[in-house]
């Protein structure tokens, strides 16, 4: 384990990586695209476009999302439950709307409360949905990692929307290398 002092000594010697460099690095790591949803204190649906989804454990089924601490949607997750909507190819308009400062992002969106946790499920734009109960969270710098135990799943596999190199795209399978 590197101690705080040892780490500080290393950091003093190297040129610190700038946030823009880190963002550039990660832009070359394509992912699927989700819209993370929750219900605000006033009962209104909230949501943001989010690519920082990762599976954490299978037992219990747990995933994480990493949200900017300034995110308005993060506030809505404080009530302890959230939804992860995995976007299908063709849902790039929704992905764009849910990443912009739009007054009501849910206008024109086909959604309904999920059966178990009653968090917003985007029935048309998402091919899969995971309803989660917040199990833990951890503030790291300007973001908060939220761990959610998956309590409900709806999965109708379809082509996923991808995001990488600062653009939306589709999956283009290649042949596996011969062994
Ligand atoms: C493709 C894409 C992926 C994004 N992924 C994340 C993410 O993982 N975490 C995050 O906090 N913001 C992410 N954002 C930015 C938010 O969607 C954006 O800041 C949004 O306006 C936040 O809304 P809110 O403040 O209402 O929650 C992403 C944006 C795009 C376009």
């Amino acid at each position: 384990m590197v101690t705080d002092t040892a780490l500080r000594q290393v950091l003093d010697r190297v040129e610190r990586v700038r946030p823009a460099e880190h963002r550039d690095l990660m832009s070359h790591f394509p992912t699927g695209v989700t819209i993370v949803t929750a219900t605000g204190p006033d009962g209104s649906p909230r949501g943001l476009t989010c690519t920082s989804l990762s599976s954490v454990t299978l037992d219990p089924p747990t995933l994480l999302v990493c949200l900017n601490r300034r995110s308005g949607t993060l506030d809505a997750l404080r009530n302890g439950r959230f939804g992860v909507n995995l976007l299908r190819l063709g849902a790039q308009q929704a992905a764009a709307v849910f990443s912009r400062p739009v007054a009501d992002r849910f206008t024109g969106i086909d959604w309904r409360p999920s059966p178990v946790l009653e968090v917003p499920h985007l029935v048309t734009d998402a091919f899969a949905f995971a309803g989660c109960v917040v199990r833990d969270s951890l503030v790291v710098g300007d973001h908060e990692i939220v761990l959610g135990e998956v309590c409900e799943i709806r999965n109708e596999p379809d082509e996923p929307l991808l995001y990488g190199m600062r653009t939306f795209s589709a999956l283009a399978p290649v042949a596996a290398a011969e062994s």
Side-chain angles (χ1 to χ4, degrees):
M1 188 81 173
V2 184
T3 63
D4 274 3
T5 318
L7 185 61
R8 229 172 288 123
Q9 282 169 352
V10 172
L11 291 177
D12 283 346
R13 271 185 270 120
V14 296
E15 199 179 321
R16 299 291 290 273
V17 170
R18 288 174 290 108
E21 274 181 281
H22 182 61
R23 185 190 288 262
D24 195 37
L25 172 77
M26 296 312 295
S27 75
H28 290 83
F29 186 67
T31 63
V33 183
T34 78
I35 292 178
V36 171
T37 55
T39 305
D42 59 353
S44 65
R46 306 275 179 84
L48 86 164
T49 302
C50 174
T51 52
S52 60
L53 172 70
S54 180
S55 174
V56 180
T57 60
L58 293 179
D59 190 11
T62 306
L63 53 75
L64 71 76
V65 291
C66 195
L67 302 187
N68 193 302
R69 286 167 65 194
R70 288 184 306 207
S71 157
T73 310
L74 178 59
D75 282 343
L77 265 66
R78 304 282 176 223
N79 74 8
R81 48 184 71 183
F82 65 97
V84 180
N85 293 270
L86 275 56
L87 298 190
R88 69 176 79 247
L89 188 63
Q92 46 273 35
Q93 175 64 18
V97 166
F98 279 77
S99 69
R100 291 193 202 124
V102 174
D104 181 5
R105 291 171 174 160
F106 285 81
T107 300
I109 295 285
D110 183 15
W111 72 277
R112 67 171 82 104
S114 64
V116 179
L117 297 176
E118 300 186 327
V119 286
H121 171 204
L122 276 51
V123 283
T124 302
D125 290 309
F127 67 88
F129 170 84
C132 304
V133 167
V134 175
R135 285 294 176 216
D136 210 344
S137 68
L138 175 69
V139 172
V140 181
D142 57 4
H143 277 61
E144 184 164 333
I145 300 167
V146 181
L147 291 166
E149 183 173 338
V150 181
C151 298
E152 55 178 326
I153 284 181
R154 190 176 174 98
N155 192 8
E156 291 164 1
D158 196 357
E159 266 211 81
L161 178 65
L162 304 186
Y163 188 77
M165 298 171 78
R166 301 193 170 98
T167 190
F168 293 108
S169 62
L171 200 60
V174 291
E178 303 221 346
S179 54

